[in-house]
Amino acid sequence: MSVSPMFGWPEVDDSKKMLLEQIRSFAQGEIAPKAKHFDESGEFPSAIVKQLAEMGLMGMMVPEEWGGAGMDAVSYAMAMEEISAACASTGVIMSVNNSLVCAPLAKFGNDDQKRKYLMPLARGEKLGCFALSEPGHGSDPAGLKLQATRVEGGWKLKGSKNWITNGREADFAIVFANQDRSKGHKGICAFIVDTKSQGFQVSKLEDKLGITASSTAALFFDDVFVPESCLLGKEGEGLKVALWTLDGGRIGIASQALGIARCALDASKRFASEREQFGAPIAKLQAIQFFIADMATRLEGARLLTWHAARAKDLGARYTKEAAMAKLSASEAAMWITTKAIQVHGGYGFTKEYVVERNFRDAKITEIYEGTSEIQRLVIAAQELAELQQG
Ligand code: CAA
């Protein structure tokens, strides 16, 4: 198994190394042997998620006083890679709860909201989802249509959301709705919605290419009442809450992509050392060595960008560009590496007997959710050009 290049970084002290070893041993011992079953059956890994919660991995960056583990973003990136190397479905379940749900509650929530919603989510007693995308608004959330109407004591929400990870299991959803579309993005508000509320429905579950054990749901809000106390952040600042949240989410998905890619690289190295053709292991062939070299180089480059973004987050700097670069490079590396991993395996790689087939299917979504590769390029270019203007 490849060793993390972070081991040479001063930030990686003994406690982080121990944490990494503990998570790796749990992921490889408890999750990896069940990942094929989860993939084939689509069964939600409830018992594993419970164990992740007991290990403090469902609210890793939430301060301890609010039920979290109080860890930094570098540790989170390392943990996400380990869990995703064993099972990418489990990785995204963990990532959504940590980065898309706990993080905005910790940043924008008031003390009452933190007590009531963040604490059980960070402890992993409850699960959350992030409901931004809609049938007509994926890459362009500024025009989202889910209607928020003021009523006595709060709001009523009406409309649909699409492609919501954890949508079937979530206890609480962070929901973005438009109060007044004439105000552009300044009409968008963020709400905390209890999924047991009357009028909340999971209207469809997607049948997917990969990450099959995590749910991807369409949600329908049929005049769902949300009390005033569940407005998250300020009225009209919902899009900022969403985009701020996605900066952190992109570090999580980049780390998931690293895990998928690492699994495929490790499998390729093992296979190439055992599989004989022309009288010797194929690892002796330069063609295969070149594949391995390029796979390893792309993986480490993407990992360094991912940890660079996580470090920038830990230092309190704005890391929008760094997170976009991390996600872009890690997701494209994962797709490239898993494609080559199948090539190294030849016909075997095209069968479900070998893990690289699953890695290949799981990698694709990392180029799509939490902002497609094209959106990441837009974000990077916008930041680069803004830096030029600032001189
Ligand atoms: N942090 C905080 N605020 C931000 C921000 C950030 N990173 N980026 C922008 N903003 C603010 C801006 O300052 C602006 O506010 P003001 O007008 O007051 O200055 C406001 O937000 C709007 O910014 P833009 O005008 O730049 O926004 P835009 O409409 O042009 O969109 C975009 C930019 C990059 C295309 C953005 O919409 C985007 O990232 N789109 C992709 C959305 C996405 O990732 N969707 C995935 C959904 S989650 C998911 O995948 C589901 C799941 O369950 C895993």
Side-chain angles (χ1 to χ4, degrees), residues 22-23 25 45 110 114 155 174 178 214 220 226 232 259-260 265 271 276 345 354 368 377:
Q22 190 197 353
I23 297 173
S25 138
N110 58 39
K114 287 182 185 167
W155 305 77
I174 307 293
N178 217 324
S214 68
F220 186 64
V226 181
L232 180 65
I260 296 167
L265 172 59
F271 183 86
E276 292 197 2
H345 283 70
Y354 286 80
I368 298 172
R377 288 186 168 89

Side-chain angles (χ1 to χ4, degrees), residues 192-386:
I192 307 162
V193 176
D194 187 325
T195 60
K196 288 189 294 304
S197 305
Q198 201 176 354
F200 177 93
Q201 278 172 39
V202 174
S203 48
K204 184 183 170 202
L205 290 167
E206 304 298 343
D207 187 7
K208 309 192 295 282
L209 175 71
I211 55 159
T212 53
S214 68
S215 68
T216 304
L219 307 178
F220 186 64
F221 297 74
D222 189 8
D223 280 337
V224 173
F225 175 72
V226 181
E228 191 62 54
S229 59
C230 286
L231 177 74
L232 180 65
K234 293 196 185 117
E235 203 175 317
E237 294 199 352
L239 189 66
K240 286 190 190 185
V241 172
L243 296 180
W244 178 90
T245 301
L246 283 165
D247 285 347
R250 288 166 185 167
I251 295 176
I253 300 305
S255 308
Q256 182 200 28
L258 295 176
I260 296 167
R262 194 186 86 202
C263 180
L265 172 59
D266 289 341
S268 300
K269 289 190 285 190
R270 279 195 305 274
F271 183 86
S273 305
E274 286 159 12
R275 169 79 170 153
E276 292 197 2
Q277 291 288 277
F278 309 108
I282 60 170
K284 298 275 182 210
L285 300 171
Q286 207 174 43
I288 300 297
Q289 291 173 6
F290 283 2
F291 279 148
I292 302 287
D294 288 343
M295 290 157 88
T297 304
R298 289 190 192 215
L299 176 62
E300 290 214 5
R303 190 185 277 130
L304 288 169
L305 274 179
T306 303
W307 285 342
H308 176 60
R311 194 159 162 255
K313 180 171 194 249
D314 287 334
L315 292 173
R318 179 154 184 197
Y319 60 97
T320 300
K321 181 178 82 175
E322 288 75 10
M325 286 177 164
K327 180 173 182 291
L328 175 64
S329 91
S331 60
E332 294 198 342
M335 203 60 241
W336 192 88
I337 290 167
T338 56
T339 305
K340 295 300 176 209
I342 292 185
Q343 200 65 18
V344 170
H345 283 70
Y348 290 107
F350 199 61
T351 69
K352 292 199 180 287
E353 202 180 330
Y354 286 80
V355 72
V356 292
E357 183 269 348
R358 169 162 53 88
N359 296 150
F360 175 81
R361 287 185 289 104
D362 286 343
K364 185 62 207 171
I365 190 60
T366 67
E367 292 185 320
I368 298 172
Y369 59 16
E370 300 200 29
T372 61
S373 292
E374 293 67 37
I375 288 292
Q376 306 310 324
R377 288 186 168 89
L378 287 182
V379 171
I380 295 163
Q383 298 287 320
E384 284 288 328
L385 292 167

Side-chain angles (χ1 to χ4, degrees), residues 120-141:
L121 285 161
R123 288 189 188 126
E125 296 158 0
K126 300 281 182 191
L127 191 70
C129 69
F130 179 82
L132 176 67
S133 302
E134 296 185 356
H137 293 274
S139 292
D140 178 21

Side-chain angles (χ1 to χ4, degrees), residues 4 21 43 66 128 274 348 352 387:
S4 148
E21 290 309 327
E43 181 187 319
W66 294 115
E274 286 159 12
Y348 290 107
K352 292 199 180 287
E387 283 167 21

